[in-house]
Amino acid sequence: DVASHDVEAEDEAQDDEALDAHAIFPPADDHAFVTETMGELLVAQGFTDRAITVFEELVRRAPSNPALANRLAELKARQLSE
């Protein structure tokens, strides 16, 4: 019936919203997703430790990029204060 279908659809929507960020974001060590954008998305979602892993890899790949090194230092300092 229509009412039970609506309830089922609502339950599915709530399940989708409850997805863990680990299911949404790939592991930080998945090199296909090691980008500055992914790092910043992880920061925005509160996953500072995973963002640090991403930025560590980015700095490893581009050691002469001061912006990446500075962002990594900022994130490590933030992690210490949390």
Side-chain angles (χ1 to χ4, degrees), residues 26-64:
D29 60 355
D30 184 343
H31 294 285
F33 293 97
V34 176
T35 65
E36 193 171 352
T37 300
M38 180 54 69
E40 294 301 340
L41 286 170
L42 289 165
V43 170
Q45 294 296 315
F47 296 100
T48 305
D49 57 334
R50 294 182 70 198
I52 287 172
T53 302
V54 168
F55 278 94
E56 286 173 338
E57 176 61 20
L58 292 171
V59 168
R60 188 192 68 75
R61 291 179 186 181
S64 61

